[in-house]
């Protein structure tokens, strides 16, 4: 039986595509955005054959059209740990810890995503998953009310829970079980117009923080955005108004570069959607939005520290042209050349033998200098795509979708241990994962030299 189980990769791909179909029906502007992104991506590839060749060689071309990330928010430890079990079935594991209270948002988070090269190149679907921090609600009565409302709901269908248990017993799913599992899982992330609270409770929670109302007042944890990956975010941003979408003013993250860094993102404002409260009063809720992103190279700790410093130095301005000029000026201090990025230990790369390299194994000594092998045409190094998130430094996206509101105060130490206890597992360290993948790629080329890592990072 075991060899006929459906692979986790194919369950993830099926789930990601079903989620995208559902969100297109729920939020038609997301469908419009997908079309625009697909069009811009195909134009970019047509105009830049070298990029096309590079992406194809890196196994990234095939994943581009299915590549998305999404975000969800849950209210309890039990919900989070069941999600961990559910996503494990799809080959998605918790990577990274994000303390959003630093950005004034009362949650902490991880990203469920595939971790190895093969799974990432098949379908890198990532879900940014936040756990509400009820301890950041000041009013004890309101905190108690929120706790009670959350305790009364089950965001998973009974069939979904049974399928998770079945998978744990069997160690896999048949085709029919995988289909049923995708169908049942989707229910957890569906939008509900009917809230679980009366209008006064909603208002009180919303006053505390809009995001608290978003997590507590609904029967499920609706997907709040899905984000396609574009090859030219400046172009998509410029053309969004042509298709009736008004983007936020500023593209977040680093400026345009020859070797793109980390992540650039922009979004359109959340929609006001009609909801019904349990006291039969009608209202609106604002949570769901659209976003696009352009992914660049993953940075080492040293590279990330430099990135954070330069981003801080550049500051923000309200108009995108000025903002991008300031970023570009600040980022002249960040090398924009693949070799310099490697030599200074700023970014991660995937190494592979060229045809010439494969044909001449004797030319490759285990302790050879990889840069020299590149010069001799035996080896290539491709920037490793950043697979994670930057929600704190891109706090503009959070804030633009939460409106002007008092920020919660970050308190005390990082709550990472609390988060991991709720999750029921440790989160993987993303830097370790990039380093391992780089090291493995060198190993496949017959090189044993350790990736040099600057400890000062
Ligand atoms: C998550 C926001 C994080 C991103 O792209 O940085 C995120 C949320 O709003 O729940 O999706
Ligand atoms: Ni996002």
């Amino acid at each position: 039986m075991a060899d006929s189980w459906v692979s986790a990769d194919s369950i993830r791909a099926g789930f990601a595509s079903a989620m995208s179909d559902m969100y297109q029906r729920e939020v038609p502007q997301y469908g419009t955005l997908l079309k625009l992104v697909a069009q811009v991506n195909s134009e970019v590839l047509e105009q830049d054959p070298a990029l096309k060749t590079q992406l194809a060689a890196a196994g990234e071309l095939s994943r581009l059209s299915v590549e998305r990330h999404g975000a969800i928010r849950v209210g309890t430890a039990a919900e989070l740990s069941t999600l961990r079990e559910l996503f494990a079935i799809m080959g998605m594991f918790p990577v990274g810890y994000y303390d959003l209270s630093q950005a004034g948002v009362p949650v902490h988070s991880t990203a469920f995503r595939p971790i190895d090269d093969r799974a990432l190149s098949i379908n890198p679907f990532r879900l940014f998953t936040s756990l509400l921090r009820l301890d950041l609600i000041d009013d004890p009565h309101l905190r108690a009310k929120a706790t009670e409302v959350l305790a009364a709901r089950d965001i998973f269908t009974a069939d979904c829970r049974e399928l998770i248990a079945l998978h744990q017993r069997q160690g896999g799913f048949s085709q029919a079980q995988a289909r049923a599992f995708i169908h049942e899982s989707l229910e957890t992330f569906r939008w509900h117009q009917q809230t679980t609270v009366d209008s006064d409770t909603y208002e009180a929670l919303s006053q505390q923080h809009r995001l608290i109302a978003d997590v507590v007042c609904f029967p499920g944890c609706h997907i709040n955005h899905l984000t396609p990956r574009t090859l030219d975010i400046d172009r998509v941003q410029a053309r969004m108004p042509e298709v009736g979408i008004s983007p936020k003013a500023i593209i977040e993250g680093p400026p345009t570069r020859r070797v793109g860094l980390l992540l650039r993102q922009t979004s359109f404002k959340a929609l006001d959607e009609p909801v019904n409260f349990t006291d039969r009063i009608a209202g609106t809720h604002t949570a769901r939005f659209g976003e696009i992103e352009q992914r660049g190279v993953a940075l080492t700790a040293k590279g990330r520290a430099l990135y954070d410093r330069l981003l801080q130095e550049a500051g923000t301005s309200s108009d995108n042209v000025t903002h991008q000029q300031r970023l570009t000026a600040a980022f002249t201090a960040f090398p924009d050349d693949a070799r310099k990025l490697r030599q200074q230990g700023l970014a991660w790369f995937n190494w592979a033998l060229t045809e010439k390299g494969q044909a001449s194994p004797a030319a490759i000594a285990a302790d050879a200098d990889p840069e020299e092998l590149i010069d001799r045409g035996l080896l290539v190094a491709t920037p490793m795509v950043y697979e994670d998130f930057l929600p704190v430094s891109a706090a503009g996206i959070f804030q633009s979708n939460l409106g002007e509101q008092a920020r919660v105060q970050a308190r005390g130490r990082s709550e990472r241990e609390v988060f991991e206890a709720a999750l029921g597992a440790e989160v993987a360290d993303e830097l370790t994962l990039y380093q391992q993948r780089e090291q493995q790629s060198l190993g496949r080329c017959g090189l044993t030299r350790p990736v040099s890592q600057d400890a000062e990072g």
Side-chain angles (χ1 to χ4, degrees):
M1 196 61 197
D3 47 352
S4 62
W5 294 142
V6 178
S7 72
D9 294 330
S10 113
I11 300 175
R12 178 176 66 260
F15 174 76
S17 136
M19 184 89 119
S20 180
D21 290 347
M22 180 174 84
Y23 202 58
Q24 279 180 68
R25 287 192 299 273
E26 291 181 349
V27 180
Q29 274 202 325
Y30 163 68
T32 309
L33 192 60
L34 278 187
K35 285 200 201 83
L36 176 60
V37 166
Q39 195 179 339
V40 167
N41 286 353
S42 83
E43 287 169 15
V44 171
L45 292 170
E46 216 166 283
Q47 288 158 7
D48 190 347
L51 177 69
K52 189 170 180 177
T53 311
Q54 188 201 312
L55 290 174
E60 266 180 64
L61 206 51
S62 54
R63 81 178 204 181
L64 189 62
S65 62
V66 295
E67 182 162 351
R68 328 237 182 280
H69 84 250
I72 52 174
R73 306 153 181 167
V74 295
T76 68
E79 290 171 354
L80 183 66
S81 78
T82 304
L83 283 180
R84 172 177 57 78
E85 297 177 315
L86 181 142
F87 291 133
I89 295 174
M90 306 179 190
M92 294 161 74
F93 306 98
V95 178
Y97 173 75
Y98 301 85
D99 176 10
L100 275 301
S101 66
Q102 290 173 34
V105 181
V107 299
H108 45 180
S109 321
T110 191
F112 288 98
R113 67 161 176 89
I115 54 181
D116 63 60
D117 287 336
R118 221 183 49 88
L120 284 166
S121 82
I122 292 172
N123 186 312
F125 189 56
R126 326 163 171 88
L127 266 181
F128 191 84
T129 303
S130 299
L131 174 64
L132 183 61
R133 289 181 58 185
L134 288 171
D135 59 306
L136 295 179
I137 303 184
D138 315 313
D139 175 353
H141 296 292
L142 198 57
R143 192 160 63 231
K145 179 71 188 170
T147 309
E148 178 197 313
V149 173
L150 287 169
R153 76 176 183 184
D154 189 350
I155 63 172
F156 304 98
T157 66
D159 285 351
C160 182
R161 287 186 178 281
E162 273 175 33
L163 284 160
I164 293 172
L166 177 68
H167 190 280
Q168 288 168 351
R169 282 200 306 277
Q170 290 185 154
F173 276 153
S174 68
Q175 288 286 355
Q177 288 162 350
R179 266 198 305 277
F181 173 68
I182 290 171
H183 180 82
E184 291 301 324
S185 307
L186 215 54
E187 291 305 308
T188 298
F189 308 104
R190 183 181 293 292
W191 171 248
H192 295 271
Q193 188 166 338
Q194 179 62 49
T195 70
T196 52
V197 297
D198 58 41
S199 50
D200 287 344
T201 305
Y202 177 88
E203 274 315 316
L205 289 168
S206 197
Q207 284 297 315
Q208 215 22 233
H209 200 289
R210 287 235 307 256
L211 198 133
I212 298 177
D214 183 58
V215 177
V216 175
C217 302
F218 295 88
C221 64
H222 42 260
I223 176 91
N224 68 56
H225 65 284
L226 273 183
T227 304
R229 175 177 170 198
T230 174
L231 297 173
D232 187 344
I233 197 168
D234 300 292
R235 209 187 293 190
V236 177
Q237 168 99 349
R239 278 170 45 180
M240 270 154 80
E242 288 168 26
V243 294
I245 301 176
S246 49
K248 72 187 280 291
I250 300 290
I251 298 177
E252 304 276 345
T256 310
R257 314 263 300 171
R258 285 193 305 121
V259 184
L261 302 176
L262 296 171
L263 198 52
R264 303 181 72 209
Q265 297 182 309
T266 183
S267 63
F268 60 81
K269 290 267 167 72
L271 317 164
D272 288 324
E273 299 178 271
V275 292
N276 305 316
F277 299 109
T278 53
D279 50 355
R280 293 164 176 251
I281 291 179
T284 60
H285 179 68
T286 314
R288 302 194 304 159
F289 62 99
E291 184 186 52
I292 49 169
E293 65 188 8
Q294 181 168 357
R295 289 192 173 257
V297 69
L299 299 183
T300 61
K302 183 182 174 191
R304 179 59 193 264
L306 180 58
Y307 168 82
D308 286 337
R309 183 165 70 73
L310 298 179
L311 200 67
Q312 182 102 41
E313 272 173 30
T316 45
S317 19
S318 53
D319 124 82
N320 194 43
V321 176
T322 317
H323 182 62
Q324 297 302 325
Q325 280 166 355
R326 287 171 66 166
L327 283 171
T328 304
F331 275 77
T332 50
F334 208 118
D336 193 11
D337 168 89
R339 171 156 288 171
K340 289 203 183 105
L341 291 173
R342 289 193 295 273
Q343 286 174 335
Q344 298 181 26
L346 295 169
W348 304 108
F349 287 79
N350 251 311
W351 300 80
L353 293 173
T354 60
E355 272 179 36
K356 187 175 162 195
Q358 286 170 18
S360 39
I364 294 160
D367 61 348
D369 173 5
E371 299 298 334
E372 197 200 310
L373 297 177
I374 290 181
D375 290 339
R376 289 168 57 201
L378 300 168
L379 202 60
V380 282
T382 316
M384 198 179 279
V385 177
Y386 185 59
E387 304 288 350
D388 295 288
F389 290 82
L390 296 173
V392 178
S393 66
I397 290 207
F398 256 112
Q399 297 308 338
S400 75
N401 283 295
L402 292 167
E404 295 312 311
Q405 208 177 24
R407 298 149 61 93
V408 296
Q409 292 301 310
R411 280 183 207 147
R413 64 187 174 86
S414 152
E415 298 283 307
R416 182 183 179 132
E417 292 86 11
V418 178
F419 183 85
E420 290 181 330
L423 181 67
E426 283 180 10
V427 298
D429 173 51
E430 66 276 21
L431 292 180
T432 308
L433 294 175
Y434 292 119
Q435 179 166 21
Q436 284 170 349
R437 288 172 57 213
E438 174 158 349
Q439 201 64 58
Q440 285 159 3
S441 76
L442 279 166
R444 285 192 294 271
C445 301
L447 294 162
T448 54
R449 223 173 130 109
V451 176
S452 67
Q453 265 311 289
D454 201 317
E456 297 155 285

